[in-house]
Amino acid sequence: MTVHCLSETRQLLLGLRLFTGLVEKDLATLLYHAKLIECAAREYLIRAGEQEQFLFVLVAGRVDVIRRAFGMQKTVQSLGPGDCFGEMSLIECRSHSASARAATPCKLLRINGDDINRLPEVASKLYRNIAVILAHKLRAADDMLALGPEA
């Protein structure tokens, strides 16, 4: 299914860290395979333990990333427009380690991992960008562990 975006929206997407190095043609190819979805507040987009391999890009709204352990549930991250999630399962080809739930009504791009892999020129740029995003998240987590939440 083709995602139809206004040119301003395409330019906004090209400005996201996830799409660094992609040109308009690359983005158009990727959007051809993507699906634009909308969801209501409190709707789960990903559940921990599921095997689906989708990359989500939040276009509008807020999403909470939730972890459950030892009988407790905690929001570990709150995401806003321009953020992506689902990337760890996409890279590892494993089940999701956390759940993602809409905190507000949301609009998202959902990109199937299989579609990404069928586009080698786009995939190489996208996976590099995902590696950079994950490195930033890891660095922030390391800082929080070493310095505390005030860092």
Side-chain angles (χ1 to χ4, degrees):
M1 171 176 291
T2 304
V3 174
H4 299 285
C5 293
L6 298 172
S7 94
E8 301 85 42
T9 304
R10 285 179 184 252
Q11 290 307 311
L12 175 72
L13 292 174
L14 283 170
L16 298 179
R17 184 181 303 163
L18 178 64
F19 299 122
T20 298
L22 271 69
V23 295
E24 176 71 31
K25 179 182 172 232
D26 293 335
L27 185 62
T29 300
L30 194 59
L31 290 177
Y32 178 80
H33 296 281
K35 184 173 184 180
L36 187 62
I37 62 171
E38 294 184 17
C39 66
R42 306 202 49 81
E43 185 176 333
Y44 279 87
L45 298 151
I46 290 176
R47 291 187 186 269
E50 288 180 343
Q51 281 292 132
E52 296 177 327
Q53 293 180 349
F54 292 108
L55 175 63
F56 290 88
V57 180
L58 188 54
V59 176
R62 298 211 59 80
V63 169
D64 290 332
V65 178
I66 302 163
R67 293 286 310 254
R68 182 180 294 274
F70 308 110
M72 297 184 306
Q73 178 175 298
K74 182 176 181 178
T75 298
V76 293
Q77 192 174 19
S78 192
L79 306 173
D83 289 328
C84 65
F85 58 97
E87 72 280 5
M88 286 176 55
S89 294
L90 189 69
I91 297 290
E92 293 182 300
C93 297
R94 292 179 55 187
S95 60
H96 295 288
S97 61
S99 297
R101 183 179 67 200
T104 65
C106 295
K107 188 180 291 189
L108 307 104
L109 281 177
R110 185 178 74 186
I111 308 166
N112 188 312
D114 291 336
D115 290 334
I116 293 170
N117 292 330
R118 283 191 208 83
L119 307 167
E121 290 181 20
V122 174
S124 64
K125 295 172 188 174
L126 211 54
Y127 283 127
R128 184 199 178 284
N129 294 339
I130 289 171
V132 170
I133 290 166
L134 290 175
H136 284 269
K137 289 181 180 183
L138 181 59
R139 190 176 304 273
D142 285 348
D143 288 347
M144 187 178 293
L145 285 172
L147 306 171
E150 303 294 318

